[in-house]
Amino acid sequence: LDLTARNDWTSTLPADNNSYFYPSVSLSAVVSQLLHIESSTLSFAKLRANWSQVGNDVDPYSLYNTVSLSGWGNVNMANISSTLANNQLKPQISTSLEFGADLRFLNDRLGLDVTWYRTNTVNQHINIPTTGASGYTSKSINAGEIRNEGLEISVHAMPVDKTLKWNIDANYARNHNTDIHLTPGVTQIQV
């Protein structure tokens, strides 16, 4: 059993939203040893589960519009970003849940590792298009909620285990992203 807790304070987010806490808990057990079920058929069985949260801030100068100075030859220029800053941004938070199993059979000659996961991310930091009449081409916002869900399966086999060893490994992965909801007032996001 592993437990963690972390809190970050960032200077790139507004003072009201600059602190974010993210914990995690993970548990794994070798059930073949705990239940004394190891045999020539089932060599090893391990189950695992994990829940975690992680936060993320924004790049510097994302809260207020700034002017940068640059030079080209003897000419000095003031540059203004084409993205409208947002001083109400919140930290992005991702919450993940994962379950898995590692099973080995026939004295480790055959193995199966399966993992299912789901991550929900809220307050993603994105830039969306805005009307050119504002003087900007985009504005920075916190988006809605995105879900990332998937399955990973690995199969291992050792058909020859003599002087010459032959291992075969195969992997399968599926990942599906879903837009759960968008920020009010935003009907679509082009990426």
Side-chain angles (χ1 to χ4, degrees), residues 101-122:
D102 181 2
L103 307 172
R104 298 180 205 158
F105 306 93
L106 307 174
N107 294 321
D108 293 342
R109 302 273 306 262
L110 183 64
L112 175 67
D113 194 327
V114 179
T115 302
W116 173 88
Y117 61 88
R118 175 186 286 170
T119 302
N120 283 27
T121 303
V122 296

Side-chain angles (χ1 to χ4, degrees), residues 9-176:
W9 290 268
T10 178
S11 61
T12 64
L13 287 170
D16 293 346
N17 295 318
N18 72 348
S19 173
Y20 45 96
F21 176 71
Y22 43 103
S24 73
V25 59
S26 62
L27 177 66
S28 64
V30 180
V31 294
S32 55
Q33 288 179 352
L34 286 173
L35 302 177
H36 305 289
I37 55 174
E38 295 173 7
S39 67
S40 58
T41 305
L42 179 64
S43 314
F44 180 82
K46 179 180 180 179
L47 299 177
R48 61 186 180 275
N50 179 36
W51 177 90
S52 64
Q53 274 191 335
V54 65
N56 194 15
D57 61 0
V58 296
D59 292 334
Y61 309 111
S62 296
L63 302 181
Y64 299 99
N65 295 325
T66 59
V67 175
S68 63
L69 300 175
S70 63
W72 186 62
N74 291 331
V75 178
N76 290 323
M77 294 179 286
N79 300 308
I80 299 173
S81 172
S82 61
T83 301
L84 179 61
N86 182 349
N87 65 358
Q88 300 299 312
L89 290 175
K90 298 176 185 172
Q92 174 179 300
I93 302 292
S94 295
T95 304
S96 299
L97 180 64
E98 180 181 302
F99 295 102
D102 181 2
L103 307 172
R104 298 180 205 158
F105 306 93
L106 307 174
N107 294 321
D108 293 342
R109 302 273 306 262
L110 183 64
L112 175 67
D113 194 327
V114 179
T115 302
W116 173 88
Y117 61 88
R118 175 186 286 170
T119 302
N120 283 27
T121 303
V122 296
N123 295 329
Q124 285 187 314
H125 306 128
I126 62 169
N127 294 332
I128 61 170
T130 189
T131 176
S134 68
Y136 299 93
T137 58
S138 62
K139 66 179 178 179
S140 183
I141 67 164
N142 286 115
E145 181 177 1
I146 305 294
R147 175 175 291 154
N148 182 21
E149 187 172 5
L151 178 68
E152 297 174 357
I153 301 172
S154 297
V155 178
H156 169 77
M158 187 186 308
V160 178
D161 187 18
K162 302 287 182 193
T163 305
L164 175 69
K165 293 189 180 215
W166 177 24
N167 291 321
I168 300 172
D169 292 300
N171 296 315
Y172 167 81
R174 179 190 63 87
N175 187 56
H176 183 69

